[in-house]
Amino acid sequence: MATKKISSVMEKALNAQMTQEAWQAQVYLSYAAWAEENHYAGIADFLYKHSHEEREHMFKFIKFILNRGGKVKVEAIKAAPADPKDLGDCLKKLLQHEVENSKLIYTLTDLAHSEKDWPALNFAQWFVKEQVEEETLFSNMLDKYILATTKKEGNANLYDFDRDVANAPQETTIPQEEKF
Ligand code: FEO
């Protein structure tokens, strides 16, 4: 058994966040099943994949605890929340889950700093960056949803237009360069 290099307080906090990440996976899994049930195949696929990503986060905690000589405690995961009302509610709630998860990561980061546990701080900082990415991902997705579903300028298809523009090349072919 590896020498224990983390405090008991840190070991408890890391285990708690490990369970939290497992719960996050359940949340995505539940929302993915809801999306599939409601015929949003693309959203469902995205959320199933994201559920796997949350499980990977959970494994990162397991591996780190073990690597630092701590004891992993696998505990019960609370139930996933109720189904969202609609797709907008689904995206809003996912963003909120990520914002709440970020707060827990910040608390963990704070603990690592106060304990001068630099390896734990380094580990937690990976998650600080990850949370910035995840909040941005769902915030952007919610913005796109609002754009796609809010009638502006009499056109609810601005989402498609925006996607086309995002994929548009910076150059175009003029008649003199056309190949026939
Ligand atoms: Fe592991 Fe989406 O937070």
Side-chain angles (χ1 to χ4, degrees), residues 34 38 40 83-93 145:
W34 168 84
N38 286 278
Y40 296 118
D83 285 347
K85 287 196 301 276
D86 52 33
L87 193 49
D89 188 41
C90 173
L91 296 173
K92 264 186 224 145
K93 284 188 169 140
Y145 172 83

Short mmCIF file of all heavy atoms in Angstrom, two decimals, residues 34 38 40 83-93 145:
data_model
loop_
_atom_site.label_atom_id
_atom_site.label_comp_id
_atom_site.label_asym_id
_atom_site.label_seq_id
_atom_site.Cartn_x
_atom_site.Cartn_y
_atom_site.Cartn_z
N TRP A 34 -34.27 10.91 -21.58
CA TRP A 34 -35.45 11.77 -21.80
C TRP A 34 -35.44 12.33 -23.23
O TRP A 34 -36.46 12.35 -23.92
CB TRP A 34 -35.45 12.92 -20.77
CG TRP A 34 -36.44 13.99 -21.10
CD1 TRP A 34 -37.77 14.00 -20.78
CD2 TRP A 34 -36.21 15.18 -21.88
NE1 TRP A 34 -38.37 15.12 -21.30
CE2 TRP A 34 -37.45 15.84 -21.98
CE3 TRP A 34 -35.08 15.73 -22.50
CZ2 TRP A 34 -37.59 17.06 -22.67
CZ3 TRP A 34 -35.21 16.93 -23.19
CH2 TRP A 34 -36.45 17.58 -23.27
N ASN A 38 -38.01 11.65 -26.39
CA ASN A 38 -38.71 12.76 -27.05
C ASN A 38 -38.21 13.01 -28.48
O ASN A 38 -38.44 14.08 -29.04
CB ASN A 38 -38.61 14.02 -26.20
CG ASN A 38 -39.51 13.94 -24.99
OD1 ASN A 38 -40.71 14.21 -25.08
ND2 ASN A 38 -38.97 13.48 -23.86
N TYR A 40 -35.26 13.54 -29.77
CA TYR A 40 -34.12 14.41 -30.06
C TYR A 40 -32.88 13.52 -30.14
O TYR A 40 -32.10 13.44 -29.18
CB TYR A 40 -33.92 15.45 -28.95
CG TYR A 40 -35.05 16.43 -28.78
CD1 TYR A 40 -35.77 16.51 -27.60
CD2 TYR A 40 -35.37 17.32 -29.81
CE1 TYR A 40 -36.79 17.43 -27.43
CE2 TYR A 40 -36.41 18.25 -29.64
CZ TYR A 40 -37.10 18.29 -28.45
OH TYR A 40 -38.11 19.20 -28.28
N ASP A 83 -37.39 14.71 -14.93
CA ASP A 83 -37.23 15.09 -16.34
C ASP A 83 -37.43 16.59 -16.53
O ASP A 83 -38.27 17.19 -15.85
CB ASP A 83 -38.29 14.37 -17.20
CG ASP A 83 -37.94 12.91 -17.39
OD1 ASP A 83 -36.81 12.51 -17.08
OD2 ASP A 83 -38.84 12.17 -17.85
N PRO A 84 -36.70 17.16 -17.48
CA PRO A 84 -36.94 18.59 -17.77
C PRO A 84 -38.29 18.78 -18.47
O PRO A 84 -38.84 17.82 -19.01
CB PRO A 84 -35.78 18.95 -18.71
CG PRO A 84 -35.33 17.66 -19.30
CD PRO A 84 -35.64 16.59 -18.31
N LYS A 85 -38.78 20.02 -18.45
CA LYS A 85 -40.08 20.32 -19.07
C LYS A 85 -40.00 20.27 -20.59
O LYS A 85 -40.89 19.80 -21.27
CB LYS A 85 -40.53 21.74 -18.68
CG LYS A 85 -41.00 21.88 -17.25
CD LYS A 85 -41.80 23.18 -17.04
CE LYS A 85 -41.03 24.44 -17.37
NZ LYS A 85 -40.17 24.97 -16.34
N ASP A 86 -38.89 20.81 -21.10
CA ASP A 86 -38.69 20.84 -22.55
C ASP A 86 -37.19 20.98 -22.80
O ASP A 86 -36.40 20.99 -21.85
CB ASP A 86 -39.49 21.99 -23.19
CG ASP A 86 -39.22 23.33 -22.52
OD1 ASP A 86 -38.07 23.52 -22.07
OD2 ASP A 86 -40.14 24.15 -22.43
N LEU A 87 -36.81 21.11 -24.06
CA LEU A 87 -35.38 21.16 -24.39
C LEU A 87 -34.68 22.37 -23.78
O LEU A 87 -33.54 22.27 -23.31
CB LEU A 87 -35.22 21.15 -25.92
CG LEU A 87 -33.82 20.88 -26.45
CD1 LEU A 87 -33.18 19.67 -25.82
CD2 LEU A 87 -33.87 20.74 -27.97
N GLY A 88 -35.38 23.51 -23.78
CA GLY A 88 -34.79 24.72 -23.20
C GLY A 88 -34.53 24.51 -21.71
O GLY A 88 -33.46 24.87 -21.19
N ASP A 89 -35.50 23.91 -21.02
CA ASP A 89 -35.36 23.63 -19.60
C ASP A 89 -34.20 22.66 -19.37
O ASP A 89 -33.42 22.81 -18.42
CB ASP A 89 -36.70 23.04 -19.11
CG ASP A 89 -36.74 22.89 -17.60
OD1 ASP A 89 -36.27 23.81 -16.91
OD2 ASP A 89 -37.26 21.87 -17.12
N CYS A 90 -34.08 21.69 -20.24
CA CYS A 90 -33.00 20.68 -20.16
C CYS A 90 -31.64 21.39 -20.23
O CYS A 90 -30.78 21.17 -19.37
CB CYS A 90 -33.17 19.69 -21.33
SG CYS A 90 -31.83 18.53 -21.52
N LEU A 91 -31.45 22.27 -21.19
CA LEU A 91 -30.16 22.95 -21.36
C LEU A 91 -29.89 23.91 -20.21
O LEU A 91 -28.75 23.99 -19.71
CB LEU A 91 -30.13 23.69 -22.70
CG LEU A 91 -30.21 22.79 -23.94
CD1 LEU A 91 -30.33 23.61 -25.21
CD2 LEU A 91 -29.01 21.84 -24.03
N LYS A 92 -30.95 24.61 -19.75
CA LYS A 92 -30.78 25.53 -18.62
C LYS A 92 -30.35 24.77 -17.38
O LYS A 92 -29.46 25.19 -16.64
CB LYS A 92 -32.12 26.23 -18.31
CG LYS A 92 -32.24 27.59 -18.97
CD LYS A 92 -33.52 28.28 -18.52
CE LYS A 92 -34.17 28.89 -19.76
NZ LYS A 92 -35.60 28.89 -19.80
N LYS A 93 -30.99 23.62 -17.16
CA LYS A 93 -30.66 22.84 -15.96
C LYS A 93 -29.25 22.25 -16.05
O LYS A 93 -28.54 22.20 -15.05
CB LYS A 93 -31.70 21.74 -15.76
CG LYS A 93 -32.98 22.35 -15.21
CD LYS A 93 -34.00 21.33 -14.81
CE LYS A 93 -35.11 22.04 -14.03
NZ LYS A 93 -36.43 21.55 -14.34
N TYR A 145 -29.94 27.52 -28.75
CA TYR A 145 -31.34 27.07 -28.62
C TYR A 145 -32.27 28.29 -28.61
O TYR A 145 -33.30 28.30 -29.30
CB TYR A 145 -31.51 26.28 -27.31
CG TYR A 145 -32.95 25.97 -27.01
CD1 TYR A 145 -33.59 24.88 -27.60
CD2 TYR A 145 -33.69 26.79 -26.17
CE1 TYR A 145 -34.93 24.61 -27.34
CE2 TYR A 145 -35.02 26.53 -25.91
CZ TYR A 145 -35.64 25.44 -26.50
OH TYR A 145 -36.96 25.18 -26.26
#
